[in-house]
Amino acid sequence: MVRKLDYRWHLREVMAMRGMFSTTGLRPLLAERGIDLSPSQVYRLVTERPERLNLAVLMALMDILGCRMDELIEPVAAQAPAVRRAAGQRPSDQPAGPGVGEFRPRRARVLPPPKGGPAS
């Protein structure tokens, strides 16, 4: 069995512990270390979990914040992906019973209009 790993990104928390509460203050500090990122890139780096990260950016963040890599990146076991089910199929943990409680929706029947119906 292959063990799958995932990670948690803690840049925002580490910044807050160091008294940095704004992403705009990070950009000039990165630029001093030769990392030129746009304001939106810096914002996404702080607020979202990066899928790919340049090692030079990681080293610059560790230098700016005076932290170790394990403070920024926490390895965790991967969650099992959600299983897709066919339409109408119940999850395996729900009892096999009719609808919700005693109520089960019935298919609507479309009937032809009655003869001699309302006058136009």
Side-chain angles (χ1 to χ4, degrees), residues 87-99:
Q89 186 180 8
R90 287 185 301 279
S92 60
D93 61 341
Q94 284 187 352

Side-chain angles (χ1 to χ4, degrees), residues 14-60:
V14 173
M15 286 175 60
M17 288 189 295
R18 307 299 195 273
M20 293 182 72
F21 299 100
S22 173
T23 60
T24 57
L26 188 58
R27 188 167 182 237
L29 298 172
L30 287 167
E32 288 174 8
R33 290 157 177 84
I35 307 297
D36 185 32
L37 298 177
S38 70
S40 64
Q41 287 173 316
V42 174
Y43 177 81
R44 286 193 311 267
L45 183 65
V46 172
T47 61
E48 299 174 10
R49 189 181 88 150
E51 291 298 318
R52 292 176 298 281
L53 182 63
N54 184 312
L55 289 178
V57 173
L58 179 62
M59 293 296 130

Side-chain angles (χ1 to χ4, degrees), residues 53-69:
L53 182 63
N54 184 312
L55 289 178
V57 173
L58 179 62
M59 293 296 130
L61 290 171
M62 290 168 37
D63 182 46
I64 291 166
L65 299 169
C67 66
R68 298 183 322 270
M69 186 170 59

